Each structure stands twice: as structure tokens, then as C-alpha cells.
């Protein structure tokens, strides 16, 4: 049962334009969401996060939007740069008990930014 | 310099052999995690530990074992019982009282010949 889904395996964008990466989740217990960026043969690095009490969080060129009613979140990168080319994973966490701190990841979206 | 180290970067093993992957962190994190990544798939949780001498199975624990004797170390053993061990293995750590953000090591690519 895939509780966190990234339905677009890949996305191609021109440099300077906006990149929008999408993520859907099914478990209404999730209350904290994160985006990670991963280059080949390296570990993922944390990018940005959002708590379920917010609907938007911004950090420089990166903004994450959360729509709780639709169980959907998105990552906007503006403007996109060639160095942003990587695999992006969304992840979700639920509170409490032995699940505390445990992350459930989506399948990832490969972003390619063309010069 | 604080961080997470995994060794070796590349590992080859013959079918039927057990192999242990190392993970060490000096971030003073309480919790540590092991994930597996396969092509076209996300990160799947194998085992995690929120405190020394305690660990829980993740979503795909069969064929794996772990130990957590020290706060800094969380080695993963891939046993011969694991049917498809060839994969990219990632270790992560986080504060136990701070939800969400996990910090990852560089990974170990295991290939079974």
C-alpha cells in the first residue's frame, strides 16, 4: 500500500522557468511533510518541510504548498536552475508511539532543468 | 565536522554470504534508520532504532538484521535469506524529539554476484 505517491516519474523544465513537483498521500494521520533532493550515488539531502498546521512554507527559491483536504502537496522551484536537476522525494511523518520520526517516502520524481 | 559515514561505498558479495554494512554518526542523534533504494522506487525502510539497545522492523525487514549497541553506530547485516539484496543502501539519523528531518549518509551500493 503506497501511502505517499509521486505520480510523475520525471519532469523536464527550461532554465529560469518554474518547476512544480507533486505528491499525494492517503494517510490522514500524517502531520509533517518533507522534500528531499538526491543526486545519483549520494544520500538525499533535506530541502524544505511543512507542518500540517500551515499551508505554505517558503525558503528562497523553494516553496512547499499543502492542501490537507485534497491530501496533496507540491514543491515549487522558481527560477529553476540546471543545478536543481536531481531526484526529488517527498516524505511524510505521523506523530506518536513507535512511528514517531518514521518517514514514509514517495517513489521520487526526476527533475531535469535544461540550460 | 559532524555527519554520517557509511562504509564501504561499493560492496560485492557472493550469493549465500552474509555481509555487514557500517553506519556511524557523530551528530549526537538518538534515532537511526536503514533504507533501501531500488531503481524507480522510493526509499523503503528496513529497520530503525530510536534509542540504544532498541530497534523496530520497518516495511521490508525480512532477510536483514541490525544491532544498536552504541548511540553512534547502527550496522546492518544483509543475510543470505534476503532474496534480492542487490540495491543501494542508505543510513540516516535524527533527533528523537524532533519530528521529521533525517540526515542521510552517502550510501553503500551492494552487488551480489
Amino acid at each position: 500500500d503506497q501511502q505517499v505517491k509521486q505520480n510523475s516519474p520525471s519532469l523536464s523544465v527550461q532554465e529560469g522557468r518554474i518547476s512544480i513537483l507533486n505528491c499525494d498521500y492517503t494517510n490522514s494521520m500524517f502531520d509533517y511533510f518533507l522534500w528531499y533532493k538526491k543526486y545519483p550515488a549520494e544520500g538525499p539531502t533535506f530541502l524544505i518541510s511543512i507542518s500540517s498546521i500551515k499551508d505554505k512554507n517558503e525558503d528562497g527559491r523553494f516553496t512547499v504548498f499543502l492542501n490537507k483536504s485534497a491530501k496533496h502537496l507540491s514543491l515549487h522551484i522558481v527560477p529553476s536552475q540546471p543545478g536543481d536537476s536531481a531526484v526529488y522525494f517527498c516524505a511524510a511523518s505521523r506523530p506518536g508511539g513507535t512511528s514517531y520520526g518514521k518517514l514514509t517516502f514517495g517513489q521520487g520524481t526526476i527533475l531535469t532543468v535544461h540550460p | 565536522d559532524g555527519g554520517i559515514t557509511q562504509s564501504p561505498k561499493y560492496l560485492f558479495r557472493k550469493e549465500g554470504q552474509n555481509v555487514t554494512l557500517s553506519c556511524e554518526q557523530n551528530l549526537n542523534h538518538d534515532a537511526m534508520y536503514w533504507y533501501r533504494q531500488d531503481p524507480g522506487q522510493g526509499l523503503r525502510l528496513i529497520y530503525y532504532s530510536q534509542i540504544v539497545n532498541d530497534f523496530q522492523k520497518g516495511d521490508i525487514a525480512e532477510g536483514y538484521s541490525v544491532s544498536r549497541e552504541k548511540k553512534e553506530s547502527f550496522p546492518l547485516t544483509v543475510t543470505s535469506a534476503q532474496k534480492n539484496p542487490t540495491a543501494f543502501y542508505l543510513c540516516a539519523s535524527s533527533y528523537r524529539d524532533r519530528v521529521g528531518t533525517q540526515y542521510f549518509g552517502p550510501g553503500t551500493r551492494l552487488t551480489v554476484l
Side-chain angles (χ1 to χ4, degrees):
Chain A
D1 177 29
Q2 189 75 29
Q3 297 187 62
V4 178
K5 296 180 185 180
Q6 294 175 255
N7 291 318
S8 297
S10 63
L11 175 67
S12 184
V13 170
Q14 204 67 28
E15 181 179 5
R17 306 294 292 267
I18 186 171
S19 295
I20 300 176
L21 296 102
N22 293 304
C23 180
D24 297 295
Y25 62 95
T26 57
N27 191 336
S28 57
M29 296 294 290
F30 289 141
D31 69 345
Y32 195 76
F33 304 88
L34 307 91
W35 284 94
Y36 282 84
K37 176 179 178 180
K38 183 181 181 300
Y39 294 115
E42 294 184 9
T45 55
F46 169 73
L47 201 54
I48 193 169
S49 62
I50 188 166
S51 165
S52 59
I53 62 173
K54 294 185 175 182
D55 55 17
K56 177 183 174 181
N57 189 26
E58 196 170 347
D59 184 2
R61 296 186 297 114
F62 302 93
T63 304
V64 56
F65 295 93
L66 176 62
N67 182 335
K68 288 188 293 292
S69 60
K71 294 191 179 67
H72 176 84
L73 64 154
S74 61
L75 174 69
H76 292 212
I77 307 174
V78 182
S80 302
Q81 299 173 353
D84 296 328
S85 298
V87 181
Y88 289 78
F89 290 99
C90 69
S93 174
R94 51 179 288 187
T98 56
S99 295
Y100 196 79
K102 178 183 169 186
L103 294 179
T104 301
F105 283 83
Q107 308 97 308
T109 296
I110 301 170
L111 172 65
T112 304
V113 180
H114 298 284
Chain B
D1 242 355
I4 303 177
T5 56
Q6 290 185 244
S7 60
K9 181 76 171 173
Y10 299 96
L11 188 58
F12 297 89
R13 164 198 123 177
K14 290 184 180 178
E15 204 170 328
Q17 289 180 335
N18 292 355
V19 62
T20 298
L21 281 59
S22 167
C23 178
E24 305 278 331
Q25 55 97 3
N26 60 3
L27 299 167
N28 201 32
H29 285 166
D30 306 291
M32 297 185 74
Y33 312 81
W34 274 105
Y35 294 90
R36 167 182 173 141
Q37 187 190 12
D38 295 284
Q41 297 200 39
L43 279 65
R44 293 185 290 166
L45 183 64
I46 304 172
Y47 267 99
Y48 62 110
S49 167
Q50 295 180 322
I51 197 169
V52 174
N53 292 323
D54 186 46
F55 48 82
Q56 288 82 38
K57 291 182 179 180
D59 301 316
I60 54 165
E62 186 175 350
Y64 300 98
S65 66
V66 293
S67 62
R68 187 85 188 278
E69 297 176 2
K70 298 188 301 182
K71 186 176 184 178
E72 301 81 14
S73 179
F74 191 40
L76 172 75
T77 297
V78 184
T79 75
S80 56
Q82 167 50 233
K83 296 286 186 264
N84 297 296
T86 295
F88 189 52
Y89 290 88
L90 288 157
C91 179
S93 68
S94 71
Y95 289 110
R96 193 163 73 98
D97 60 351
R98 199 171 300 169
V99 161
T101 308
Q102 294 180 10
Y103 296 87
F104 284 81
T108 293
R109 168 77 59 187
L110 172 64
T111 302
V112 174
L113 305 171

